[in-house]
Each structure stands twice: as C-alpha cells, then as structure tokens.
C-alpha cells in the first residue's frame, strides 16, 4: 500500500515497511511478504521548539518567528520581504500571529510560509501576554476648597480687572 502525498505537503523522509502476512492461495494459506512505502509529512515529524530557544533568534542574520503555533526560520526571506527586515525583526521574541493577521497577507504569502516552517512551538513555554492595567486615579472631587477657590479666582480676577478698566474709562470720559 502506497500512501499518496498531498500535493502541498512537504516531505522529509519515508520508511519502507515489510511485514509477513498470510495469504490464501488456492484454498490454502501461504506466507506472503508485503512491502509498503510509507511517507510521513510535516505533521508527523515536526520538531518541538521551546520559546526561550526561539527568542534567541532575533537578528537580521538569524531570524525565527512564531505564527499560528509554528516556528518559521525567515532568515533567507529577510531581503525579499515587501515590508522590509525591520517588520520581521519587530515580530521576534513574541507570538507574531496577531502581527501577521493584522497586515492581511495574501494566499500566496501563506503558501510561501510552508517553505520556512522548521517546527512547532511548545505552547506551554510562551509567556502570557500582559494586559495593560492603567494606574488607579483618584476621582475628581469638586468640594476641595483649595482647588475650587483657585479655579474661581483664575476666572474672576481677569473679569474684575476688565470691569475696573471699563469703569475708569467711563468716569474719566464723563468729566
């Protein structure tokens, strides 16, 4: 039995399996040797990478990315990436799935990724994303007399100066 490969899968090795089975021949059983060639695709033999090991590869000459639970060595693609190598380097040392999906890559780009896949990431080693929690601020309290008085004076003093100026002008003209 030959296992047919999928047209888009990458294959790394095959195994020849020979088994001894019995086969009926003319009403009696006879030994029969069956040979089959079994091909294992990328799904069966991917290396499992630790997050700390992947995060060490964050340079222009050695760049690995984590996208959708898989590890990609994109070093040969750095010069060809349409967004430049800075974009790829910014996506290192983290799970770059959101960065990849936010851009809206084409189907052709997604197919090209298979070429650079070197294994899977051990999900238990990926650090949990820290959610930004803003520091707690004290609520505005209008009853604070010192703050309230200052704000009122900042408004009233210029109004009173304008009032005095108009009053002086009015009385000086009348004489």
């Amino acid at each position: 039995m030959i296992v047919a490969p999928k047209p888009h899968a990458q294959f790394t090795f095959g195994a020849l399996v020979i088994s001894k089975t019995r086969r009926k021949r003319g009403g009696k059983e006879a030994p029969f040797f069956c040979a089959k060639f079994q091909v294992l695709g990328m799904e069966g033999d991917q290396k499992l990478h630790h997050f700390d090991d992947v995060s060490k590869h964050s340079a222009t000459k050695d760049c690995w990315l984590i996208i959708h639970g898989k590890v990609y060595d994109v070093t040969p693609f750095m010069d060809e990436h349409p967004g430049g190598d800075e974009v790829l380097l910014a996506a290192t040392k983290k799970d770059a799935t959101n960065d990849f999906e936010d851009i809206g890559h084409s189907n052709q780009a997604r197919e090209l990724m298979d070429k650079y896949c070197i294994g899977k990431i051990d999900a238990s080693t990926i650090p949990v994303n820290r959610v930004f929690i803003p520091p707690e601020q004290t609520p505005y309290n209008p009853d604070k007399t010192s703050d309230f008085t200052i704000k009122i004076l900042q408004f009233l003093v210029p109004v009173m100066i304008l009032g005095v100026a108009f009053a002086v002008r009015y009385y000086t003209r009348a004489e």
Side-chain angles (χ1 to χ4, degrees), residues 23-75:
R23 184 181 205 193
K24 288 203 171 197
R25 205 185 297 166
K28 52 184 174 172
E29 290 187 2
F32 175 73
F33 289 93
C34 174
K36 66 180 178 179
F37 186 72
Q38 184 177 24
V39 178
L40 298 176
M42 283 296 289
E43 295 82 18
D45 61 344
Q46 284 187 336
K47 182 177 178 187
L48 195 63
H49 295 276
H50 193 276
F51 180 80
D52 292 336
D53 296 333
V54 175
S55 64
K56 291 176 186 174
H57 301 273
S58 60
T60 305
K61 304 267 186 210
D62 184 25
C63 184
W64 290 11
L65 298 178
I66 301 168
I67 302 172
H68 293 297
K70 294 183 180 179
V71 179
Y72 297 91
D73 182 359
V74 294
T75 307

Side-chain angles (χ1 to χ4, degrees), residues 18-158:
I18 300 176
S19 61
K20 183 178 177 183
T21 59
R22 298 230 172 243
R23 184 181 205 193
K24 288 203 171 197
R25 205 185 297 166
K28 52 184 174 172
E29 290 187 2
F32 175 73
F33 289 93
C34 174
K36 66 180 178 179
F37 186 72
Q38 184 177 24
V39 178
L40 298 176
M42 283 296 289
E43 295 82 18
D45 61 344
Q46 284 187 336
K47 182 177 178 187
L48 195 63
H49 295 276
H50 193 276
F51 180 80
D52 292 336
D53 296 333
V54 175
S55 64
K56 291 176 186 174
H57 301 273
S58 60
T60 305
K61 304 267 186 210
D62 184 25
C63 184
W64 290 11
L65 298 178
I66 301 168
I67 302 172
H68 293 297
K70 294 183 180 179
V71 179
Y72 297 91
D73 182 359
V74 294
T75 307
F77 187 65
M78 296 291 279
D79 293 333
E80 300 163 21
H81 188 261
D85 60 350
E86 297 88 15
V87 175
L88 296 174
L89 290 174
T92 61
K93 297 185 179 182
K94 64 178 181 177
D95 185 349
T97 302
N98 290 338
D99 295 343
F100 180 80
E101 291 300 332
D102 287 347
I103 299 300
H105 285 88
S106 66
N107 290 337
Q108 183 181 6
R110 293 175 189 278
E111 291 171 5
L112 185 63
M113 288 174 57
D114 291 340
K115 178 178 170 183
Y116 300 106
C117 185
I118 59 170
K120 291 184 177 182
I121 188 73
D122 184 359
S124 65
T125 63
I126 298 176
V128 178
N129 289 343
R130 295 183 183 147
V131 178
F132 176 72
I133 300 172
E136 187 176 322
Q137 296 180 352
T138 57
Y140 174 70
N141 187 358
D143 292 338
K144 290 184 179 178
T145 53
S146 61
D147 289 342
F148 185 70
T149 306
I150 290 172
K151 291 195 187 252
I152 291 294
L153 287 176
Q154 285 177 344
F155 175 74
L156 286 179
V157 169

